[in-house]
mmCIF file of all heavy atoms in Angstrom:
data_model
loop_
_atom_site.group_PDB
_atom_site.id
_atom_site.type_symbol
_atom_site.label_atom_id
_atom_site.label_comp_id
_atom_site.label_asym_id
_atom_site.label_seq_id
_atom_site.Cartn_x
_atom_site.Cartn_y
_atom_site.Cartn_z
ATOM 1 N N MET A 13 0.835 -1.177 0.000
ATOM 2 C CA MET A 13 0.000 0.000 0.000
ATOM 3 C C MET A 13 0.881 1.242 0.000
ATOM 4 O O MET A 13 1.781 1.366 0.816
ATOM 5 C CB MET A 13 -0.906 0.006 1.237
ATOM 6 C CG MET A 13 -1.659 1.303 1.420
ATOM 7 S SD MET A 13 -2.624 1.361 2.929
ATOM 8 C CE MET A 13 -4.183 0.839 2.277
ATOM 9 N N GLN A 18 1.830 14.219 5.091
ATOM 10 C CA GLN A 18 2.345 15.579 5.072
ATOM 11 C C GLN A 18 1.735 16.361 6.228
ATOM 12 O O GLN A 18 0.577 16.139 6.588
ATOM 13 C CB GLN A 18 2.001 16.268 3.745
ATOM 14 C CG GLN A 18 2.600 15.532 2.569
ATOM 15 C CD GLN A 18 1.961 15.945 1.257
ATOM 16 O OE1 GLN A 18 0.753 16.127 1.177
ATOM 17 N NE2 GLN A 18 2.780 16.087 0.242
ATOM 18 N N THR A 45 -15.922 12.550 0.382
ATOM 19 C CA THR A 45 -16.752 11.381 0.687
ATOM 20 C C THR A 45 -17.202 11.340 2.142
ATOM 21 O O THR A 45 -18.157 10.640 2.484
ATOM 22 C CB THR A 45 -16.011 10.074 0.361
ATOM 23 O OG1 THR A 45 -14.781 10.028 1.090
ATOM 24 C CG2 THR A 45 -15.741 9.972 -1.133
ATOM 25 N N ALA A 54 -11.416 12.594 1.104
ATOM 26 C CA ALA A 54 -11.727 12.810 -0.309
ATOM 27 C C ALA A 54 -11.139 11.660 -1.103
ATOM 28 O O ALA A 54 -10.186 10.999 -0.669
ATOM 29 C CB ALA A 54 -11.158 14.135 -0.786
ATOM 30 N N THR A 57 -12.315 9.918 -8.401
ATOM 31 C CA THR A 57 -13.397 9.188 -9.048
ATOM 32 C C THR A 57 -12.758 8.003 -9.758
ATOM 33 O O THR A 57 -11.558 8.002 -10.027
ATOM 34 C CB THR A 57 -14.146 10.077 -10.054
ATOM 35 O OG1 THR A 57 -13.206 10.581 -10.993
ATOM 36 C CG2 THR A 57 -14.853 11.224 -9.350
ATOM 37 N N SER A 75 -7.455 20.509 18.836
ATOM 38 C CA SER A 75 -7.003 20.702 20.213
ATOM 39 C C SER A 75 -5.713 21.518 20.286
ATOM 40 O O SER A 75 -5.339 22.001 21.348
ATOM 41 C CB SER A 75 -6.797 19.357 20.909
ATOM 42 O OG SER A 75 -5.770 18.629 20.264
ATOM 43 N N LEU A 95 6.049 0.453 -6.165
ATOM 44 C CA LEU A 95 7.224 -0.193 -6.741
ATOM 45 C C LEU A 95 8.092 0.767 -7.547
ATOM 46 O O LEU A 95 9.263 0.501 -7.776
ATOM 47 C CB LEU A 95 6.793 -1.370 -7.619
ATOM 48 C CG LEU A 95 5.991 -2.457 -6.896
ATOM 49 C CD1 LEU A 95 5.522 -3.510 -7.893
ATOM 50 C CD2 LEU A 95 6.804 -3.086 -5.782
ATOM 51 N N SER A 109 -0.152 18.562 -2.019
ATOM 52 C CA SER A 109 0.819 19.370 -1.290
ATOM 53 C C SER A 109 0.992 20.732 -1.945
ATOM 54 O O SER A 109 0.988 21.768 -1.273
ATOM 55 C CB SER A 109 2.158 18.640 -1.224
ATOM 56 O OG SER A 109 3.107 19.432 -0.547
#
Side-chain angles (χ1 to χ4, degrees):
M13 171 184 265
Q18 300 164 319
T45 57
T57 56
S75 63
L95 301 175
S109 179

